[in-house]
C-alpha cells in the first residue's frame, strides 16, 4: 500500500507528520519512506538514515548538428515549451526548458537532431532503523522536479510505503500523488491553511485519489477546517496539537514520537485511522 502525504501549502508540518508516521509504522511492519520533496528534502534530519547508495538522474535533451541544420524552425515550431528557438541559419537549445519528448527529433526534415543525456539531480537510498529510505535531490538551478520524482517512484517496494510530497498543487505534487492508494493531507487551522487545503482537495478529486486530513497545530480554531471537511465529505483522521514542546523537539531534528510518550500514542491512533481508510480505498481500487 502506498500512502502519499501532501499539503496545499508549505509550512503545515507535512514532513513532521510523514516521518513520525513512518517511525510509528516501522514498529509494527516493514516500511519504506520516499522523500519526493526534491527541491528541499529534509526528512533525513529526522530519520537520520545511513546512506548506502546514490545514482544520477538524467534526462534526454536535443543536440543539434550545426553543420547540418539550416534553421528552418520546424523543431522550434513543434516545441510548445519553447526549448528551441530558430535563428538565422541555426537553432538555439534551452535545455532547462526541455521536457524530453523527442518530438523535435521526429519533425526535423534533415535529421539534424540527436538526443543527449543531461544530469538534473540525484536519488539516494539508505536505511533508518529498519525503514527503507529513498530521497531525491534536484541539482541547484534546475527548474523541473518531475523527472526525479518519476525516478523515485519507478520501483516501489512491496511493503507499506509513505511518500512525502512536495508542497503546493503544481506538477511535482500531482506527479507524486498520482497512482498512490491514499493521500493524507496535512493542514493547519488558519485561513491560508483552509484555502490551500481546498486546492489540494480539488486536485486529489480530479486525479481520483482518495484522501483524508490531519490537522496539525490543532487549536480552538479547528472548526475552520472541520466545517470544510464536513461539507466536502473528507474524513478528519487526526489532530496534532499546537505545542511549543513539540516545536522544540522538531527544531532539534528529533522525532516527537521518540521523545514524547503522549505524541507516540497520538501518532499510533492516527496511523490506525489512516491505514483503515487507506485499506478501504485500496480494496475499492483493486
Amino acid at each position: 500500500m502506498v500512502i502519499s502525504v501532501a499539503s496545499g501549502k508549505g509550512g503545515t508540518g507535512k514532513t513532521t507528520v510523514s516521518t513520525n508516521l513512518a517511525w510509528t509504522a516501522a514498529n509494527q511492519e516493514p516500511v519504506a519512506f520516499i522523500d519526493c520533496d526534491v527541491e528541499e528534502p529534509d526528512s533525513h534530519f529526522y530519520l537520520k538514515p545511513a546512506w548506502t547508495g546514490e545514482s544520477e538522474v538524467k534526462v534526454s535533451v536535443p543536440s543539434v548538428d550545426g553543420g547540418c541544420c539550416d534553421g528552418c524552425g520546424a523543431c522550434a515550431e513543434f516545441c510548445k515549451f519553447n526549448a528551441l528557438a530558430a535563428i538565422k541559419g541555426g537553432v538555439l537549445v534551452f535545455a532547462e526548458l526541455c521536457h524530453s519528448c523527442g518530438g523535435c527529433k521526429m519533425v526535423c526534415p534533415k535529421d539534424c537532431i540527436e538526443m543527449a543525456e543531461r544530469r538534473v539531480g540525484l536519488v539516494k537510498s539508505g536505511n533508518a532503523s529498519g525503514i527503507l529510505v529513498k530521497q531525491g535531490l534536484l541539482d541547484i538551478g534546475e527548474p523541473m522536479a518531475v523527472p526525479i520524482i518519476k525516478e523515485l517512484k519507478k520501483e516501489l517496494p512491496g511493503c507499506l510505503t509513505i511518500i512525502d510530497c512536495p508542497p503546493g498543487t503544481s506538477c511535482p505534487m500531482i506527479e507524486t500523488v498520482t497512482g498512490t492508494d491514499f493521500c493524507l493531507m496535512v493542514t493547519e487551522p488558519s485561513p491560508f491553511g483552509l484555502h490551500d487545503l481546498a486546492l489540494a482537495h480539488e486536485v486529489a478529486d480530479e486525479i481520483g485519489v482518495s484522501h483524508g486530513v490531519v490537522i496539525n497545530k490543532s487549536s480552538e480554531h479547528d472548526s475552520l477546517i472541520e466545517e470544510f471537511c464536513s461539507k466536502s465529505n473528507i474524513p478528519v483522521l487526526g489532530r496534532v496539537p499546537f505545542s511549543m514542546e513539540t516545536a522544540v523537539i522538531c527544531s532539534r531534528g528529533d522525532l516527537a514520537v521518540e521523545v514524547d510518550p503522549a505524541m507516540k500514542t497520538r501518532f499510533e491512533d492516527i496511523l490506525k485511522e489512516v491505514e483503515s481508510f487507506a485499506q478501504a480505498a485500496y480494496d475499492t481500487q483493486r
Side-chain angles (χ1 to χ4, degrees), residues 8 43 69 75 81 113 128 133 137 167 174 181 196 205 207 210 233 250 257 266:
S43 60
C69 177
C75 57
F81 301 108
I113 298 177
V133 179
L137 184 62
I174 293 171
D181 299 305
D196 292 332
D205 263 0
I207 61 179
S210 298
N233 197 30
C250 293
V257 290
R266 184 174 294 274

Side-chain angles (χ1 to χ4, degrees), residues 20-278:
N20 279 276
L21 272 181
W23 187 92
T24 302
N27 289 322
Q28 306 172 18
E29 59 186 305
V31 175
F33 185 93
I34 302 178
D35 191 343
C36 285
D37 188 3
V38 302
E39 294 184 67
E40 294 184 1
D42 60 355
S43 60
H44 58 287
F45 291 124
Y46 303 101
L47 296 177
K48 300 176 177 60
W51 298 117
T52 56
E54 67 177 40
S55 58
E56 293 185 333
V57 179
K58 298 179 180 180
V59 296
S60 296
V61 297
S63 175
V64 182
D65 182 350
C68 166
C69 177
D70 60 6
C72 73
C75 57
E77 183 178 353
F78 174 87
C79 184
K80 65 178 180 179
F81 301 108
N82 298 314
L84 302 107
I87 58 174
K88 186 177 181 179
V91 170
L92 292 177
V93 177
F94 303 98
E96 293 82 3
L97 301 179
C98 178
H99 283 58
S100 305
C101 71
C104 54
K105 174 177 171 59
M106 294 173 62
V107 301
C108 178
K110 299 186 68 177
D111 197 23
C112 300
I113 298 177
E114 295 296 332
M115 302 302 289
E117 287 191 331
R118 175 175 172 274
R119 172 182 151 147
V120 294
L122 287 173
V123 165
K124 301 172 70 176
S125 58
N127 189 286
S129 301
I131 302 173
L132 299 174
V133 179
K134 289 177 69 177
Q135 183 183 82
L137 184 62
L138 187 68
D139 283 348
I140 294 172
E142 291 297 331
M144 288 187 284
V146 168
I148 297 178
I149 294 170
K150 286 183 176 180
E151 188 66 26
L152 284 165
K153 292 179 65 183
K154 183 182 291 184
E155 295 181 7
L156 296 178
C159 59
L160 172 65
T161 300
I162 295 175
I163 301 182
D164 190 10
C165 299
T169 54
S170 60
C171 293
M173 177 269 195
I174 293 171
E175 180 65 37
T176 304
V177 171
T178 298
T180 61
D181 299 305
F182 188 79
C183 179
L184 180 64
M185 296 182 178
V186 181
T187 190
E188 58 189 17
S190 70
F192 289 115
L194 174 60
H195 176 271
D196 292 332
L197 171 62
L199 292 176
H201 163 60
E202 185 177 349
V203 168
D205 263 0
E206 183 67 26
I207 61 179
V209 175
S210 298
H211 50 287
V213 164
V214 162
I215 303 175
N216 191 34
K217 307 172 192 173
S218 175
S219 70
E220 68 273 13
H221 303 298
D222 283 4
S223 59
L224 188 70
I225 303 298
E226 291 169 342
E227 290 173 6
F228 170 78
C229 289
S230 178
K231 292 177 182 177
S232 305
N233 197 30
I234 309 170
V236 177
L237 304 179
R239 295 168 176 79
V240 180
F242 181 83
S243 164
M244 182 58 71
E245 290 77 13
T246 301
V248 170
I249 292 170
C250 293
S251 72
R252 294 199 304 258
D254 293 329
L255 290 167
V257 290
E258 287 191 286
V259 178
D260 184 347
M263 289 296 286
K264 181 175 182 291
T265 300
R266 184 174 294 274
F267 271 93
E268 287 173 345
D269 292 340
I270 292 173
L271 179 65
K272 289 178 184 176
E273 289 293 305
V274 171
E275 287 196 315
S276 175
F277 276 85

